[in-house]
Amino acid sequence: MKVLLIGSGGREHALAWKLAQSPLLTRLYAAPGNPGIAEVAELVSLTVEDHAAVIAFCREMHIDFIIVGPEAPLVAGLADDLRDAGFVVFGPSKAAAQLEGSKGFTKDICARYNIPTGAYQRFTSAEPAKAYIREQGAPIVVKADGLAAGKGVTVAMSVDEALAAVDDCFAGAFGQAGAEVVVEAYLDGEEASFFCLSDGKTALALATAQDHKRVGDGDTGPNTGGMGAYSPAPVMTPQMVQRTMDEIIQPTISGMAESGYPFTGVFFAGLMVTAKGPELIEYNVRFGDPETQVLMMRLKSDLLPILYAAATGTLSEVTADWHEDVALTVVMASKGYPAAYEKNTPIDHLPPATDGAKVFHAGTALKDGQLVASGGRVLNLTASGKTVAEAQARAYALVDQVKWDNGFCRRDIGWQAIQRDKQ
Ligand code: AMP
Ligand code: GLY
């Protein structure tokens, strides 16, 4: 099978690494890819926003299957245009991608199909939103409706902070994404990410993970795209996974189909495990980054037929088997991230891959033969182990071999699980 993978991050490197192990794969292309992905795929310099160019490439190369990594092309309707051109695509339609593209859309689906989530209201102007916040009190959560690169959410511990967040949104802090605001109840509990495939009718549970969104040790500092992750998430016991499938995922699949937006692709559910059980914080409609890096380390089965089954309505015919071992990834980022950072700083040494240890590339590039950091999140040092503590020690052993002066990382990825193991 000839496959085109769209994307260029650590998530796509992990997907490419796993796809490359498939006996079904004859050729892997990645657009635009990165130097890590180039180890296993042929990079294609396509402008992903130019759907006609992507279609022309797929026709010319007789591509059998296209896997879309990031959310932006999905929300822009790339999967629809490719499917209309006759291609098999992994990833939801533009309409179904609203589950990530509009928080208000997701909340309305939850309300209609009784999916547990925080109580909420949608607003298109500041005064009614503020009146609602004053009535509800703090803590309370204010969210820009649209895609805001993970920055559109304020978990406000005081009413004043929530009111200021409303003003920010309507003042244009998040551009068009903040033209509508969702105000929702604060959920108290432990967060976990749950990944599950859907072919529009059937669900196939994948695995759980925990991300570390804050930039600093001890979960301090501003939010980022994710500074590290591990899988599985201990809070997601088999019972919690079953409840998530029954109470959240299945009603979403049938609700989306009934609403006229059948969902094919991956559900990445952000959950809060509260005293009442799992509640939905948000859906993403693509694999998590860096969660995918740990998922791919743990996946025993061939990834390619599983994704293909999700894209072709045959998910009930496949299963996904997982290694028992824990996998943990540490993100190395450019100093300054998530604010401004220097680009094109040299990376002089990376540790080689060994059994159960792998460096995934995110924002890297080759400049005149020199590997450089071209983005905020740059490297994902990923390792497996019998326990979170063991996987953590192995991942940091990789970190310590990296020679990159402008890089930094958190030193405590996995702390919650390690603390839990000690109890
Ligand atoms: P989101 O972009 O919706 O995932 O929100 C970013 C982060 O804000 C989440 O990972 C949570 O840590 C936090 N958050 C979002 N919604 C809530 C909520 N209703 N209650 C508590 N924390 C929340
Ligand atoms: N790591 C969070 C995300 O991929 O959205």
Side-chain angles (χ1 to χ4, degrees), residues 6 32-33 38 72 100 110 113 171 190 193 211 241 250 253 262 270 283 286 322 326 328-329 370 406 417:
I6 305 277
E100 176 160 357
C110 290
Y113 298 100
E190 190 170 340
S193 302
D211 190 9
V241 168
Q250 292 291 358
I253 292 179
Y283 272 125
R286 35 79 193 175
W322 301 88
V326 173
L328 185 143
T329 190
Q370 165 76 48
N406 199 48

Side-chain angles (χ1 to χ4, degrees), residues 103 107 117-118 140-141 143 150-155 184-188 191 213 223 270 272 280-284:
K103 294 188 190 294
K107 287 299 220 180
T117 187
I140 194 156
V141 183
K143 300 183 174 183
K151 299 192 186 92
V153 174
T154 303
V155 179
E184 72 177 51
Y186 172 78
L187 299 172
D188 195 14
E191 272 186 84
K213 291 217 165 78
N223 266 330
M272 190 70 85
L280 184 73
I281 298 179
E282 62 160 1
Y283 272 125
N284 297 306

Side-chain angles (χ1 to χ4, degrees), residues 6-7 48-49 51 68-80 92 94:
I6 305 277
V48 172
E49 293 76 28
H51 297 187
V68 184
E71 62 276 22
L74 295 168
V75 171
L78 179 62
D80 307 68
K94 180 178 179 165

Side-chain angles (χ1 to χ4, degrees), residues 76-418:
L78 179 62
D80 307 68
D81 289 346
L82 284 165
R83 272 194 280 264
D84 287 347
F87 292 102
V88 180
V89 187
F90 178 81
S93 66
K94 180 178 179 165
Q98 287 181 88
L99 272 185
E100 176 160 357
S102 164
K103 294 188 190 294
F105 173 89
T106 302
K107 287 299 220 180
D108 288 350
I109 291 280
C110 290
R112 204 171 314 137
Y113 298 100
N114 251 326
I115 296 166
T117 187
Y120 74 104
Q121 294 272 323
R122 302 172 71 165
F123 299 96
T124 49
S125 61
E127 278 321 310
K130 290 183 174 176
Y132 180 72
I133 288 167
R134 288 194 189 96
E135 189 188 300
Q136 297 293 314
I140 194 156
V141 183
V142 177
K143 300 183 174 183
D145 180 74
L147 291 181
K151 299 192 186 92
V153 174
T154 303
V155 179
M157 288 300 148
S158 69
V159 167
D160 283 347
E161 197 186 340
L163 299 179
V166 167
D167 282 334
D168 282 351
C169 279
F170 288 117
F174 310 108
Q176 205 38 40
E180 183 175 329
V181 165
V182 173
V183 180
E184 72 177 51
Y186 172 78
L187 299 172
D188 195 14
E190 190 170 340
E191 272 186 84
S193 302
F194 180 68
F195 293 87
C196 177
L197 297 180
S198 166
D199 64 1
K201 317 176 286 282
T202 307
L204 176 67
L206 295 179
T208 62
Q210 240 150 5
D211 190 9
H212 299 62
K213 291 217 165 78
R214 303 291 187 129
V215 75
D217 283 11
D219 293 331
T220 54
N223 266 330
T224 68
M227 294 301 291
Y230 56 91
S231 171
V235 66
M236 290 299 287
T237 58
Q239 188 213 1
M240 285 300 164
V241 168
Q242 194 56 51
R243 285 191 59 183
T244 303
M245 291 300 283
D246 296 344
E247 297 170 22
I248 297 179
I249 302 290
Q250 292 291 358
T252 305
I253 292 179
S254 49
M256 288 292 282
E258 194 182 299
S259 307
Y261 316 108
F263 184 92
T264 69
V266 61
F267 285 119
F268 162 7
L271 303 174
M272 190 70 85
V273 183
T274 70
K276 286 194 279 179
E279 298 196 43
L280 184 73
I281 298 179
E282 62 160 1
Y283 272 125
N284 297 306
V285 299
R286 35 79 193 175
F287 279 105
D289 191 344
E291 292 90 334
T292 306
Q293 290 78 316
V294 287
L295 256 52
M296 291 305 111
M297 270 279 189
R298 290 192 54 230
L299 181 62
K300 225 190 254 179
S301 309
D302 186 348
L303 177 67
L304 185 48
I306 297 177
L307 298 185
Y308 196 76
T312 52
T314 54
L315 207 49
S316 58
E317 296 167 20
V318 297
T319 54
D321 296 321
W322 301 88
H323 292 290
E324 288 297 317
D325 279 5
V326 173
L328 185 143
T329 190
V330 177
V331 172
M332 286 189 82
S334 296
K335 283 177 190 164
Y337 174 82
Y341 52 83
E342 196 182 334
K343 282 199 176 170
N344 298 324
T345 56
I347 301 169
D348 290 320
H349 179 75
L350 293 179
T354 57
D355 201 21
K358 172 83 190 152
V359 180
F360 294 114
H361 290 231
T364 67
L366 277 176
K367 284 253 150 54
D368 304 323
Q370 165 76 48
L371 188 69
V372 298
S374 57
R377 294 188 297 164
V378 174
L379 299 168
N380 311 137
L381 296 305
T382 312
S384 55
K386 292 274 166 260
T387 60
V388 180
E390 189 178 288
Q392 186 195 54
R394 287 187 177 162
Y396 281 109
L398 295 175
V399 169
D400 293 336
Q401 293 173 61
V402 172
K403 290 207 178 77
W404 172 33
D405 288 345
N406 199 48
F408 79 97
C409 65
R410 276 180 64 161
R411 278 278 159 189
D412 64 345
I413 301 303
W415 69 269
Q416 268 179 323
I418 290 171

